[in-house]
Amino acid sequence: MSIGDTLAGARRQAGLTLTQVSRQTRIRESIIRSIEQDDFSPCGGDFYARGHIRSIAEVVGVDPVPLIREYDAAHGAPGSMRAAQIFEPATPIKIREPRRLHMGRVLVVALLAVIGFGAYHLVSTRGSHPAATATATVRPVVTAKPKASAKPSVKPTPTFPKGEAVIKVTAKQDCWVGLTDASGKQTPYYVYAGQTKTWTEKQAVSLVIGNPPGVKLTVNGKAEQMNTVQVVTLNINPKSSPLVSLG
C-alpha cells in the first residue's frame, strides 16, 4: 500500500475532507490531493515533502515514521550523495608542458649579464674614495607605559517569569518544526538556516523537530541536547520540573 493510499484511506476513515485537513495542516488542498496520488512534485523538494507527509499523517491519525521511511527508500535519505559526485573533480585539471628554451635567447641573456657586471665594476672602482663619516645622532628611547587592562564585562543572567516557558529554535540548517498546543492543535513552521523562532507558552505543549542536528533549542535559556538524527518530539510543561521531556 503506497504512501498516498495510506493517507487517503486514513482520512476517509477519520471522516475528514480535504478542506478540513488543509485547515488543520495549513497545506493547500491541491498539494494534499497530489500527495494522496503519490505525486510529490508540488511539494517543492524532499525536505518539504517529508514535512507535509508528517503533518497530514498526524491529523488523520497515522504513524508518520513508517511513511517517512518509505519515502526515503523511494527518493533517497536526506543528505545522500552519489559516489560519482564525491570522487569526480569539480573542474578538469589542465597540465601545461614546460616550454623549451631557445639557445639563441640563452646566449643573449648571458652576454647582457657579462656587460652589466663589467659596467658595475668600473663604476665601483672610480667611486672608491673615502667618504666623510656622518655623525650619528643618538635619540633617547622612550618606553611606552603599558595600558591598564580593561576588566571583562559581566553580562547579567537573563530571568524568566515563573510558570512560563520561553522556547527558542535557532536553525543552523533548514528545519521543519511542529508546535502542538494544549488543545491538540498542531501548527507547522519552517525555520530556515540563520533564522530564529521564539514561542512563550504558559500551558503544556509538544514540539516536533524534523532535523534535530540542524537546530539549537533552548528553553528558558537552557540548551537542550538532542543526540539523534531522527525526528524528535519534546514535551514542554512550564509547571513541571524538569520543563522538557521526550515525547
Side-chain angles (χ1 to χ4, degrees), residues 1-69:
M1 197 171 187
S2 67
I3 298 174
D5 293 337
T6 301
L7 294 176
R11 176 179 60 79
R12 297 188 190 98
Q13 187 175 359
L16 298 173
T17 64
L18 289 174
T19 302
Q20 292 172 327
V21 176
S22 175
R23 289 176 179 174
Q24 295 188 43
T25 61
R26 298 187 179 181
I27 302 173
R28 294 196 301 270
E29 291 185 33
S30 59
I31 296 179
I32 299 174
R33 186 179 294 105
S34 297
I35 291 176
E36 290 186 353
Q37 297 173 0
D38 293 310
D39 179 11
F40 302 96
S41 58
C43 296
D46 294 339
F47 174 78
Y48 301 104
R50 293 184 183 92
H52 291 339
I53 293 172
R54 177 173 297 279
S55 297
I56 298 171
E58 292 179 350
V59 169
V60 301
V62 177
D63 184 7
V65 175
L67 300 181
I68 298 296
R69 189 179 299 115

Side-chain angles (χ1 to χ4, degrees), residues 47-108:
F47 174 78
Y48 301 104
R50 293 184 183 92
H52 291 339
I53 293 172
R54 177 173 297 279
S55 297
I56 298 171
E58 292 179 350
V59 169
V60 301
V62 177
D63 184 7
V65 175
L67 300 181
I68 298 296
R69 189 179 299 115
E70 181 178 349
Y71 182 88
D72 291 342
H75 298 83
S80 60
M81 182 178 291
R82 295 183 294 105
Q85 293 176 328
I86 298 175
F87 296 103
E88 182 180 8
T91 56
I93 301 175
K94 296 182 180 180
I95 301 177
R96 296 182 179 179
E97 297 183 356
R99 297 180 179 178
R100 297 181 179 178
L101 296 177
H102 296 283
M103 185 57 66
R105 295 181 180 178
V106 174
L107 293 176
V108 171

Side-chain angles (χ1 to χ4, degrees), residues 161-238:
K162 187 176 181 180
E164 289 187 3
V166 178
I167 307 167
K168 182 181 292 186
V169 173
T170 302
K172 297 177 288 185
Q173 303 171 2
D174 293 347
C175 181
W176 176 88
V177 178
L179 182 69
T180 303
D181 58 18
S183 65
K185 179 182 178 181
Q186 185 188 62
T187 304
Y189 300 90
Y190 292 100
V191 187
Y192 299 99
Q195 294 183 345
T196 298
K197 186 69 178 177
T198 304
W199 300 270
T200 300
E201 302 294 336
K202 296 183 179 180
Q203 302 295 329
V205 297
S206 63
L207 193 69
V208 179
I209 301 179
N211 182 18
V215 301
K216 177 183 178 182
L217 172 65
T218 61
V219 180
N220 284 357
K222 180 182 177 183
E224 299 294 333
Q225 301 296 330
M226 298 175 290
N227 300 322
T228 178
V229 297
Q230 303 295 331
V231 176
V232 65
T233 301
L234 302 174
N235 296 323
I236 303 172
N237 189 351

